[in-house]
């Protein structure tokens, strides 16, 4: 791929949760040199680049999404030199590096916030955040009724130098993550400098944390009875001006290479997502809708259709300006692994609540082989869709969610803030198994400290080295599927055609679509589906095939003769 190709359009990007990927120095915490050591694995897997979860200095109250310094790299992860080594080694292998940028909030340890706390009400630094007086007689009630995404009030009261209660500050997430005030010019300027700093260091782009938030409803009013906090903290029209500005910064930095801005956009509608993809805003935005769908053909088809229709509308608005593209995803560090979501056969009555909890982090009894068969089939749909695809580390091993972490080990602020009502996200962040017969399954070197989250005994069954030797392994399947995408799909026109399924199957059973001469068929139920001859030769399947009968759950790609 040439340096100036629009690689972000259909790249396959591998998400690295650094702390849990590979530990090079034996402290039980993954680090950047650990990532560099595994680049051969990623290259062989067939991805085009890596998105690194935040690697900046941070107290680590929310896995690094609480940043104390946007211009440096955490020493615990290897510091700036280790990131430089990783960027150079990745580029040598023609792999892109995306960093995570977190513009909605920082850490309470950030110097601006520390200075703001030391100031009286109305101080200059306080303007860069959302400080307000409380309601009630003595200001003892939060300034409004907004809720944190991590449960509980979105406000925390400060103490003044004399120990008396003071103003409140807004935090859409944990109380250690104060929200920036994006109306303040210094905040805007700070982030322009952050972007330039890392572009100059050689990174190829950014995944933008909660990209639709940033601007809040003017006056920070209470939300009404039929509204949620998100209605007032997300998708405010002014947020788009921020990304038009960032696009100018990234276009100017893109001398002799192509850079990408990729938004984490949680949204109610596909149109809200594609609104960020206008030609002068983001290059890509995650489409999470598909990830939240139940395992049903109609639900998957309708979700993809909604996305495609929204993209078409965008194109109609400005036919001469190429828009950004969607980023498709089924796994991340925020959700239960797809194997466990799709294999859930007995949901726990008190499953996850809260924002997105039930869809992304359902708890209960899992049929792992069923979940694996479904997850493999879903991958074949994802890889055929127009846009980029994001994989999450360990997905290529078919790892299930670790649902039963010991309570004392859990660290997610969602777990802590909900007093254990929500399990949160630790179960998809358990350090990866690389070698079956090695301490910490090869995550750390011999003689190292215990991994920062305990690995269950069964993790060895999924270890990379065991799968290397097995042509029927999930790892082998991912390699084959990614190679097929590169050969047959990458660079193809976006157009999708939905195919009719013979009457013997209900619409909830089978889904079939065609793109670039490839027919993708997915059987959701357990009734086998006979693939019509006119669909062509099978070139890829999620499981072994008996003639032209595709067993459910399963998927295949066929090439027209
Ligand atoms: C979204 C990130 O993916 C998640 O891990 C984080 O906790 C929140 N944003 C807050 O930064």
């Amino acid at each position: 791929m040439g340096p100036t190709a629009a690689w972000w359009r259909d790249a396959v990007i591998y998400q690295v949760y650094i702390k849990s990927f590979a530990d090079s120095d034996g402290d039980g915490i993954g680090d950047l040199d650990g990532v560099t050591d595994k680049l051969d694995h990623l290259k062989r897997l067939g991805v085009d680049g890596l998105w690194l979860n935040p690697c900046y200095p941070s107290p680590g109250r929310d896995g690094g999404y609480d940043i104390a310094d946007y211009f440096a790299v955490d020493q615990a992860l290897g510091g700036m030199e280790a990131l430089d080594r990783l960027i150079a080694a990745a580029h040598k292998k023609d792999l892109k590096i995306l960093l995570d940028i977190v513009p909605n909030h920082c850490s309470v340890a950030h110097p601006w916030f520390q200075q703001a706390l030391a100031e009286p009400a109305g101080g200059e630094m306080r303007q860069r955040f959302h400080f307000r007086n409380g309601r009630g007689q003595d200001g003892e009630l939060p300034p409004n009724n907004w809720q944190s995404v991590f449960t509980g009030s979105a406000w925390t009261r400060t103490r003044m130098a004399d120990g008396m209660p003071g103003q409140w500050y807004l935090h859409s997430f944990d109380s250690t993550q104060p929200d920036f005030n994006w109306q303040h010019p210094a905040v805007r300027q700070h982030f322009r400098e952050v972007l330039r700093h890392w572009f100059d260091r050689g990174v190829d782009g950014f995944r933008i944390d909660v990209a639709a938030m940033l601007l809040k409803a003017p006056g920070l009013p209470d939300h009404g009875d039929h509204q949620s906090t998100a209605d007032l903290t997300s998708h405010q029209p002014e947020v788009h001006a921020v990304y038009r500005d960032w696009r100018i910064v990234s276009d100017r930095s893109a001398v002799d290479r192509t850079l990408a801005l990729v938004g984490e956009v949680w949204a109610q509608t596909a149109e809200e997502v594609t609104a960020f993809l206008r030609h002068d805003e983001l290059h890509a935005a995650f489409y999470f809708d598909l990830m939240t769908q139940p395992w049903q053909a109609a639900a998957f088809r309708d979700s993809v259709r909604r996305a495609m229709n929204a993209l078409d509308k965008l194109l109609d608005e400005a036919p001469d300006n190429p828009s950004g593209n969607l980023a498709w995803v089924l796994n991340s560090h925020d959700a239960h692994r797809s194997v466990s979501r799709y294999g859930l056969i007995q949901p726990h009555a008190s499953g996850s609540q809260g924002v997105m909890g039930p869809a992304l982090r359902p708890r209960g009894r899992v049929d792992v082989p069923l979940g694996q068969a479904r997850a493999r089939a879903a991958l074949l749909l994802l890889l055929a869709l127009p846009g980029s695809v994001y994989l999450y580390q360990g997905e290529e091993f078919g790892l299930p969610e670790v649902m039963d972490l010991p309570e004392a080990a859990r660290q997610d602020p969602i777990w802590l803030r909900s007093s254990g009502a929500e399990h949160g996200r630790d179960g998809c962040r358990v350090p990866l198994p690389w070698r079956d017969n090695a301490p910490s399954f090869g995550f750390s070197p011999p003689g190292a400290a215990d991994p920062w989250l305990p690995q269950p005994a069964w993790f060895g069954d999924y270890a990379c080295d065991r799968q290397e030797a097995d042509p029927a392994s999930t790892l082998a399947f991912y390699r084959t599927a990614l190679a097929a995408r590169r050969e047959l799909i990458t660079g193809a026109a976006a157009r999708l055609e939905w195919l009719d399924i013979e009457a013997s199957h209900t619409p909830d059973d089978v889904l079939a679509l065609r793109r670039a001469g490839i027919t993708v068929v997915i059987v959701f139920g357990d009734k086998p589906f006979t693939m019509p001859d006119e669909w062509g030769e099978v070139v890829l399947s999620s499981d072994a095939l008996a003639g032209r009968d595709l067993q459910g759950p399963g998927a295949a790609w066929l090439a027209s003769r």
Side-chain angles (χ1 to χ4, degrees), residues 96-133:
K96 307 291 179 194
I97 296 284
L98 304 182
L99 295 189
D100 214 315
I101 190 167
V102 186
N104 182 68
H105 48 267
C106 59
S107 160
V108 286
H110 192 282
W112 286 7
F113 192 74
Q114 286 299 311
Q115 288 170 44
L117 284 182
E119 284 177 351
E124 204 287 315
M125 279 295 170
R126 287 201 175 199
Q127 312 294 322
R128 299 180 186 198
F129 299 92
H130 297 283
F131 278 86
R132 293 288 186 280
N133 294 329

Side-chain angles (χ1 to χ4, degrees), residues 62 65 105 150 173 207 209-210 264 333-334 425 429:
D62 181 23
Y65 284 94
H105 48 267
F150 289 167
F173 294 89
R207 174 268 191 189
D209 192 61
V210 289
E264 186 211 13
H333 65 299
D334 289 329
R425 304 159 295 178
R429 300 174 177 180

Side-chain angles (χ1 to χ4, degrees), residues 374-391:
R374 289 177 171 178
R376 282 163 77 132
L379 179 77
L380 291 196
L381 169 66
L382 217 65
L383 290 178
L385 295 174
S388 51
V389 170
Y390 282 66
L391 306 177

Side-chain angles (χ1 to χ4, degrees), residues 217-389:
L220 314 187
D222 277 339
H223 66 74
D225 290 344
H226 302 290
Q227 280 180 317
S228 70
T229 301
D231 292 327
L232 304 174
T233 56
S234 287
H235 297 283
Q236 299 298 305
E238 302 77 29
V239 74
H240 294 282
V242 173
Y243 299 119
R244 285 197 289 275
D245 187 40
W246 285 23
R247 183 61 177 257
I248 293 170
V249 174
S250 89
D251 283 351
R252 281 192 190 144
S253 298
V255 179
D256 298 333
R257 61 195 182 127
T258 303
L259 303 174
L261 298 171
V262 184
E264 186 211 13
V265 178
W266 291 96
Q268 298 288 332
T269 66
E271 283 75 11
E272 279 179 332
V273 179
T274 54
F276 288 85
L277 298 179
R278 296 189 188 109
H279 72 281
D280 55 354
E281 291 191 42
L282 302 183
H283 299 86
F286 284 91
Y287 182 66
F288 293 110
D289 187 80
L290 186 63
M291 189 169 176
T292 62
Q293 297 306 320
W295 182 253
Q296 287 162 9
F300 270 54
R301 186 185 50 236
D302 292 350
S303 177
V304 173
R305 271 196 173 142
R306 286 193 290 275
M308 294 296 109
N309 290 343
L311 270 181
D312 282 349
K313 277 193 224 158
L314 189 65
L315 207 66
D316 290 347
E317 259 177 40
D320 299 330
N321 289 317
S323 64
N325 237 2
L326 292 172
W328 301 94
V329 62
L330 293 176
N331 283 286
S332 81
H333 65 299
D334 289 329
H336 281 186
R337 289 186 177 274
S338 58
V339 166
S340 299
R341 292 202 318 274
Y342 297 144
L344 191 72
I345 44 172
Q346 226 177 60
H348 199 289
S350 66
S352 301
Q353 316 284 312
V355 186
M356 305 311 287
L360 291 182
R361 296 186 289 275
R363 276 151 56 189
R365 202 154 73 79
V366 171
D367 177 337
V368 172
L370 177 72
Q372 282 178 330
R374 289 177 171 178
R376 282 163 77 132
L379 179 77
L380 291 196
L381 169 66
L382 217 65
L383 290 178
L385 295 174
S388 51
V389 170

Side-chain angles (χ1 to χ4, degrees), residues 153-174:
S153 171
W155 295 91
T156 289
R157 196 165 192 190
T158 59
R159 289 209 167 266
M160 297 189 288
D162 59 5
M164 295 299 287
Q167 285 192 300
W168 298 70
Y169 65 90
L170 177 70
H171 51 85
S172 293
F173 294 89
D174 189 49

